[in-house]
Each structure stands twice: as C-alpha cells, then as structure tokens.
Amino acid sequence: MDYQVFFPRGVATGRAFCNREEERARIKNNIEHRQHTLLMSPRRYGKTSLVRYAINELKAPFAEADLFVAVDAERIEHIILTAVNAIIQEVSTSLESALLFLTEHFKRSDKQWNIGTKNMKLVLTSEKDSDPASNILEALDALENLLKKKKKLAVLFIDEVQEIGEIAEGKGIEGAIRHVAQQTKYLTLVFSGSQRHLLSQMFYDKARPLYKLCDRITLERIQEVHYKKHINLLARKRWSKVLPDEVLAEIFSLTQYHPFYINGLCSKLWTSALKAIPTVKHVNDLWEKILEEERLEIIRELDSLSAGQKKVLISVAGGYNIHLTGKAFLQEVNMTSSSVVDALKTLEKKDYLQKQEDNTYTLVDPLIKAGINRYFKN
C-alpha cells in the first residue's frame, strides 16, 4: 500500500485529511450565506487542503487563483481571469452557451474582450495594455451575472492574496474586488495567505478597500487528541496496532504539532521497512534524517537574515524566549534594546517567530529550531 497518500507533503485529500471540523463547518456556512472568508496561518498549515476539502463537501463549482508567483498587476489579472474562465465553463451547459453569454455580456463594455476557445477550454482575455483592476472587476461581474442566470452558487479561492498589496497597482485591484464582493449573491470569495502582518493591513486598515470585508478564520495547529486518533487509525492499517504513547509523544515533541512536519515524519515512518511497531529511537533517527536532508535549506533561511535577527532567533531557539529587552539578554547578544525590538518585529513579520499570550516567543518552524540548535549553536 502507498502510505504516502495518507501523509502528503502537499494537499491532503480523503482519508489523509485530519479533523478541522469546526473550520470546515464555518467555511461551508459562510459560503452558503454568501459571507466572504479570510483564512490566515503561517505557511504549510494546510490552508489549501482545508478550503478544497470544505468546498468539495458542498459540491459547489470552484476555482483557485494562486497568487504566490504573481509579480505584477498583469500576472494577477491573468491568474484571476483564468480562474473565472474555469468557473464559467463549469457552470455552463456547453462551451457554446458560455461563449454566447460572454459575447452578449461584454457588448456593454467600453473595451475589447477576446472571447474564444483553446484545447476545448474557454478563453476570456482583455485587450492589451488595458487596466488590470477594471478588467478584474468586469470579469468578476460577468461571472456573478452568469451565476445569477443559472441560479448557482460558486466559490473563487484566492490564495496568497497578500501579494496584491505588494504591487504598485494593488489598491486598485483591492478596490475592484471589494466593488464586486459587496454585491455578489451567488459568488463567494475565500481568501487565504501566510504573511499575517500584510493580511492584517489589507483587511483591517480602514484606509484599505478590503477593510472588514470578510469573516476571519485564524488557523491554529491541530490538537493532539485529533492527531492521536488520525495517526493510530493509520497505524492499525500499517502494523495492526496503535503506536505506544511514548512514540506519539516523541512525534509531537519533535514536530510541535506542525501539520507539514507531522506528515513528513509520519510519511517516513509508514514507508520505512519496519515490520514491528516503531520505537522512540526510530522516530528520532528519521527526524535526524529529515534534518540532514533540509540542512542546506535551513542554512539558506538563516543566511537571509541580518546579523542581529540571526542572533535573536538563535537565542530564542535555545530557550531564551522572554524579557528579550532586559539587561541580561542585551549583554548576552551584545545588542541595543532598539535593535532587539526591530529584530523581533521583522522576525514576527517574516513568520520566524510568534509571540504568545504570555509574552514569550516561540519559533514557528520546528525544523528550523532543530537546525539552529544543531548547526548554529556554539
């Protein structure tokens, strides 16, 4: 059996998906009531898996616009229009009916739209050098009108949406999205992103167009009780018995319940040649293997930081996680209070550090923490 499908490094589907029942219910309820949603979490927490799983349960027409590789307004326009094309084609009875609708709809436009087919797929593109923001607005408006005509709900999932705010024309595109989103009765938008400070600026700054447009869901790590149930169900399939508590405890201690690393470590365990139930030593050996495999990537991540940021991050990884502007810590790292404060702000913005309610700091990525303690400690 291919056990990797149960612990994917990418999108989790079917039996690989673990819990998130509350978040799934909330997303589905928002879609059914035309409430747009903002999903926030650090990278590799399973945002895409969650959205796709929830929408699949609703069986609603759906398309995804992943803006991770978007570098300018034209690229954002292309990605969003491609997603719009996909939904239009899905809800239409035929390509011919979709083409007819779009031709009639865009007769009212003051710009030239190219409407056709390529490889049996709908192609809707705007004229060259036209304004991306107005093109996105018109395309989303066309989609909403088609859904209204068909009396069908649909979902447009815009992933890594913070990239819109990072380009020069970003506010214009944000304004276009808000204009349509405020009026939709059939199209629901689900946004997600991993840079929480940028998302907060986009959706919670009164001066920005998307201010308070969405219901915000902050994705936390899955609780231990759910992981135990999920992992032991699959352990019975692999070894005909559940994992010992000490083995589960070691998995959770090393990965800190981070979904990406839970899957990565368990995938190696389940696909190993082990015939007997894994031991704590097996878990540690495979974690060490992952650490060695990712060694160069961890070093690259650390090399991208300034000397001060690196000092602070290394100290927190080593357990110095509170009173970081106190005299003892400043002497330890040979930095000024203002420099430490600046480093902490940057490390939080880049999702290396997370500040807890008790004012302590923790590393977001458990493998980077392990790598620091292995390769960067004196």
Side-chain angles (χ1 to χ4, degrees):
M1 181 177 290
D2 182 10
Y3 290 102
Q4 283 184 323
V5 301
F6 295 122
F7 298 106
R9 301 298 288 267
V11 176
T13 60
R15 295 180 68 180
F17 193 86
C18 178
N19 194 254
R20 299 291 192 201
E21 292 182 4
E22 182 179 335
E23 295 90 343
R24 281 156 48 197
R26 193 163 154 192
I27 290 172
K28 289 189 292 184
N29 183 69
N30 283 350
I31 292 169
E32 290 172 333
H33 292 87
R34 317 325 181 252
Q35 169 62 62
H36 308 300
T37 303
L38 170 63
L39 189 61
M40 298 173 62
S41 79
R43 293 175 296 169
R44 299 170 172 175
Y45 264 45
K47 296 183 293 296
T48 300
S49 298
L50 171 60
V51 173
R52 290 184 185 179
Y53 199 95
I55 293 171
N56 185 59
E57 288 182 312
L58 280 178
K59 302 190 183 323
F62 155 76
E64 181 177 340
D66 186 351
L67 304 184
F68 181 72
V69 295
V71 294
D72 54 32
E74 288 72 23
R75 183 62 181 165
I76 290 173
E77 177 196 344
H78 171 75
I79 293 170
I80 291 178
L81 260 60
T82 299
V84 169
N85 287 341
I87 296 176
I88 289 175
Q89 185 161 335
E90 184 176 351
V91 300
S92 300
T93 54
S94 66
L95 272 175
E96 290 75 13
S97 66
L99 292 170
L100 179 61
F101 171 82
L102 291 173
T103 301
E104 289 297 316
H105 179 86
F106 284 111
K107 280 182 179 179
R108 302 189 299 272
S109 176
D110 60 1
K111 65 169 69 73
Q112 182 67 42
W113 283 85
N114 301 313
I115 305 167
T117 61
K118 184 177 180 181
N119 299 325
M120 298 302 293
K121 290 186 177 181
L122 179 68
V123 177
L124 171 66
T125 56
S126 59
E127 63 183 345
K128 189 177 180 181
D129 299 326
S130 56
D131 176 46
S134 65
N135 295 338
I136 290 170
L137 190 154
E138 289 191 16
L140 292 175
D141 183 60
L143 174 56
E144 169 67 12
N145 284 333
L146 176 61
L147 295 172
K148 180 179 179 181
K149 179 182 177 183
K150 299 285 185 179
K151 292 184 168 34
K152 289 186 176 181
L153 300 181
V155 183
L156 175 59
F157 174 36
I158 304 181
D159 196 10
E160 299 298 348
V161 69
Q162 74 273 345
E163 299 302 322
I164 294 176
E166 290 294 275
I167 64 169
E169 304 93 329
K171 282 193 177 181
I173 295 175
E174 290 175 30
I177 291 172
R178 182 177 186 90
H179 180 83
V180 175
Q182 285 181 312
Q183 304 175 57
T184 56
K185 299 191 183 306
Y186 293 88
L187 176 65
T188 304
L189 301 174
V190 177
F191 304 96
S192 79
S194 54
Q195 297 186 40
R196 289 168 291 176
H197 71 290
L198 292 177
L199 292 170
S200 293
Q201 291 171 6
M202 284 182 70
F203 289 88
Y204 293 92
D205 181 342
K206 291 182 180 180
R208 300 287 285 272
L210 298 177
Y211 175 66
K212 288 193 175 180
L213 177 70
C214 300
D215 175 35
R216 179 171 66 180
I217 300 175
T218 301
L219 208 58
E220 304 292 349
R221 300 187 187 190
I222 295 171
Q223 293 179 348
E224 181 177 308
V225 61
H226 303 303
Y227 266 135
K228 276 188 174 181
K229 181 180 178 181
H230 179 71
I231 290 171
N232 276 331
L233 181 67
L234 297 172
R236 288 190 184 96
K237 293 181 71 68
R238 175 67 169 83
W239 295 286
S240 300
K241 59 177 68 175
V242 300
L243 296 186
D245 286 344
E246 63 269 20
V247 173
L248 284 167
E250 192 67 13
I251 291 172
F252 299 144
S253 175
L254 293 171
T255 63
Q256 294 294 291
Y257 307 98
H258 193 298
F260 182 79
Y261 295 110
I262 287 272
N263 279 355
L265 181 54
C266 287
S267 177
K268 286 193 177 295
L269 280 168
W270 264 248
T271 57
S272 69
L274 289 172
K275 298 197 182 309
I277 202 81
T279 65
V280 170
K281 184 179 185 306
H282 291 136
V283 172
N284 277 290
D285 287 346
L286 288 175
W287 181 253
E288 289 296 317
K289 185 176 180 180
I290 293 172
L291 185 58
E292 182 58 32
E293 289 172 351
E294 298 295 326
R295 177 176 175 271
L296 293 179
E297 178 62 20
I298 294 168
I299 292 172
R300 186 194 66 78
E301 287 267 10
L302 271 291
D303 283 346
S304 70
L305 303 176
S306 70
Q309 292 160 11
K310 194 182 299 185
K311 280 184 181 180
V312 171
L313 192 63
I314 290 171
S315 296
V316 175
Y320 212 139
N321 60 4
I322 197 168
H323 304 311
L324 300 185
T325 56
K327 184 177 179 180
F329 182 74
L330 297 178
Q331 289 177 341
E332 175 78 16
V333 295
N334 193 26
M335 293 172 65
T336 64
S337 176
S338 60
S339 296
V340 170
V341 169
D342 288 342
L344 288 170
K345 286 180 179 178
T346 301
L347 292 169
E348 281 191 86
K349 284 182 179 180
K350 292 183 176 181
D351 272 333
Y352 286 100
L353 289 181
Q354 186 170 9
K355 191 174 185 179
Q356 307 299 318
E357 291 183 359
D358 61 0
N359 290 322
T360 60
Y361 287 88
T362 59
L363 269 75
V364 171
D365 190 315
L367 196 69
I368 288 181
K369 179 180 179 180
I372 287 173
N373 288 323
R374 168 63 60 82
Y375 303 120
F376 289 86
K377 295 285 286 185
N378 293 329

